[in-house]
Every structure is written in structure tokens, then in C-alpha cells.
Amino acid sequence: MKIGRRIFDTDNGAYIMGILNVTPDSFSDGGKYNSEDKALEHALSMIGDGADLLDIGGESTRPGYEPVSAKEEQSRIVPVIRRIRSVSDIPISVDTTKAEVAKEALLAGADMINDISCLTDPDMPGVIADTGCAYCLMHNREIFEYADFRRDVLNDLKAALKRLDEAGVNRAQIVIDPGVGFAKTIDQNLQVLKYIKDFHSFGLPVLLGTSRKSVIGKTLDLPVDERMVATVATTVYGFEAGCSFFRVHDVKENRQALDMIRAIRNVKDEG
């Protein structure tokens, strides 16, 4: 899969997507990086720690978040994209649900759109088709009730993929995110992880985003700032289940875990 200038071997590789929230109210790191200088410093730090791509968000998606206008979201992320792009060619993803924001972010130098809404903006498929950018389609829905949870989640994604097909989006542009933490109970989030291989049925790369989320906090009774080890555990689990991308706050620790697994897998037998 091509994202920006880089080719990702999604059949064999394991890639770290570092989270950069330029928001005042994100659940884990809101307000830490909401200036251009701080954002650039953190981006470079994550690159140094082994991030393969960055995901920049200008609107919090935590429970009870306050929506912001497209203009405000653009004002937060576009300058940061330009600053990062001026010093690095690392692939940049933008976490947005708005086609208008996506278009401006791509013009500023972004390479990928990470849409947590499962296509609530009817103009998003056209932007993805017209630009040819990479696109992460995450499972989400407004109604949290399911007749058959595992089947319904896959059917929701199937319907969204059909819309992308009809808009002319090439399947080679698409990554699937099961949507841990969105429109799901704690038990349903754990089911998503247990049956993560379900999502390979689409024949597309899978991105896993569990970093510091409430499913970890509530399962283990941990505050946000003590969820890193459990996040690494889910990353390892996801890699063993065939996931290709891992969206995380703690780049170095997750990178080391994946590199260790790959070293074990790749060692040559003696004899």
C-alpha cells in the first residue's frame, strides 16, 4: 500500500502511527501540543522513536466532546502539517470527519485521511476518489444497538465500502479500522479484539487503535496515564492476529515490542 512517498508492506510489516492531537480537550493529551512549536517538537520526537507515519487531529473525539467548525479545525491542523512537511517526508494522516477539512489538509501536504465517522460526510468519498489519497475507514454508527454484533459491524463496513466503490475509490487506497471505543460497550470492544481476524475478510489492511482507551481503563481499573503497558499488549495481540498499522501515543514502547516479535519470527533455525 502506498501512503505518500512510502510503500507499506501490509502483508508482512507492522507499522506505528504516532498520535499528534493539536486540540485543547483530547482525552489523553489535550492541550499538550496545541501550538505549532510544541506540535512540531512532539512530531520529531515520535519520528525519532520509530513512528512510520503520523496522525494529526484537530477535533477531540472523546466521549462528550464539543464539535468544532471546519474553519477552526483547519486552523489547528494545516499550519502543523506544513511545519512537519517542511522538515520531514514522513507520511501524514489527518484525523477528520469533514470532507472540507480533508481537502485542505491534503493540499497542505497530508497523505491520508483517517475518518472515525464511517462516512457521515456525503462529500468524503468524492474527495478520496478525486485525490487518490489513502483512506482509513473506521467502524462507527449513531445507533448503538445491534441485532448480531459481529455480523452487524461487518455489514456496516461493507455498506460503507460499497459507497466508496460507487464513488470510484480504489480499494488499494483503503485501510480498515474496527473502531475500538466507538459505538460499542466495553464487552463489545473486547469482542472486537478477540475476533479481530473477522476484519481481514475484506482483504484490506487493518489498523488497530486501542491506545490508552477506556476499554483498557475499565477492564483493568487504570487511569489514562497508566495504560501504556496494556496498550502494548493489545498491539502485540493485534500484530499476531495480522493487523498492519497501530495508532498509538507511546511510540517507542510499541515500536520496541513489534521489533522484538519480528526478530523472534525472523531468526533462522540452526541445524
Side-chain angles (χ1 to χ4, degrees):
M1 178 178 191
K2 185 176 182 181
I3 306 177
R5 297 182 180 180
R6 182 168 177 181
I7 302 295
F8 291 84
D9 178 5
T10 56
D11 291 327
N12 304 293
Y15 303 104
I16 296 292
M17 173 185 276
I19 298 169
L20 178 56
N21 288 318
V22 288
T23 60
D25 58 345
S26 291
F27 82 96
S28 177
D29 53 4
K32 284 188 177 181
Y33 312 116
N34 61 341
S35 75
E36 287 184 43
D37 289 342
K38 289 180 180 179
L40 178 61
E41 181 181 2
H42 188 53
L44 294 175
S45 175
M46 289 192 290
I47 293 170
D49 285 342
D52 298 290
L53 60 168
L54 301 177
D55 189 48
I56 302 174
E59 179 179 50
S60 173
T61 54
R62 63 178 175 78
Y65 75 97
E66 290 291 330
V68 300
S69 68
K71 184 176 181 180
E72 173 64 21
E73 193 175 344
Q74 287 173 31
S75 73
R76 293 176 180 180
I77 64 173
V78 167
V80 173
I81 294 168
R82 289 175 176 158
R83 287 288 297 276
I84 296 171
R85 187 53 72 232
S86 71
V87 297
S88 174
D89 63 357
I90 189 169
I92 295 174
S93 167
V94 169
D95 184 352
T96 186
T97 64
K98 304 179 184 72
E100 180 181 348
V101 175
K103 189 181 299 185
E104 291 302 315
L106 293 167
L107 289 172
D111 308 291
M112 179 176 185
I113 299 303
N114 179 18
D115 179 5
I116 63 97
S117 75
C118 206
L119 293 175
T120 57
D121 188 331
D123 293 329
M124 186 68 84
V127 171
I128 306 306
D130 291 344
T131 62
C133 71
Y135 178 71
C136 184
L137 171 68
M138 193 192 83
H139 177 264
N140 203 346
R141 54 155 60 185
E142 292 184 4
I143 300 173
F144 288 23
E145 297 178 2
Y146 300 88
D148 180 319
F149 176 70
R150 289 173 65 188
R151 183 193 65 195
D152 291 352
V153 168
L154 294 177
N155 283 340
D156 289 346
L157 288 169
K158 190 180 297 183
L161 285 169
K162 183 179 180 182
R163 290 175 58 194
L164 292 169
D165 289 339
E166 291 170 348
V169 176
N170 191 314
R171 287 284 179 106
Q173 296 172 238
I174 303 172
V175 175
I176 294 289
D177 181 342
V180 172
F182 292 85
K184 300 169 185 67
T185 66
I186 297 303
D187 284 345
Q188 287 168 344
N189 284 315
L190 291 172
Q191 282 190 58
V192 166
L193 292 170
K194 182 176 181 178
Y195 299 108
I196 195 75
K197 290 185 178 180
D198 285 355
F199 298 90
H200 295 301
S201 63
F202 298 108
L204 299 172
V206 176
L207 180 150
L208 184 61
T210 61
S211 189
R212 304 181 187 175
K213 287 186 175 178
S214 62
V215 63
I216 292 173
K218 292 182 179 179
T219 299
L220 302 178
D221 191 23
L222 292 173
V224 170
D225 59 356
E226 294 181 15
R227 299 175 187 173
M228 183 269 288
V229 173
T231 296
V232 172
T234 62
T235 295
V236 171
Y237 178 85
F239 180 47
E240 289 295 303
C243 297
S244 302
F245 297 97
F246 303 87
R247 183 180 181 274
V248 300
H249 297 86
D250 303 292
V251 170
K252 181 185 293 185
E253 293 81 0
N254 285 275
R255 174 82 277 157
Q256 289 176 350
L258 291 177
D259 287 348
M260 190 66 209
I261 293 175
R262 288 197 294 183
I264 295 169
R265 281 187 175 185
N266 295 336
V267 69
K268 295 182 179 180
D269 295 335
E270 294 186 7

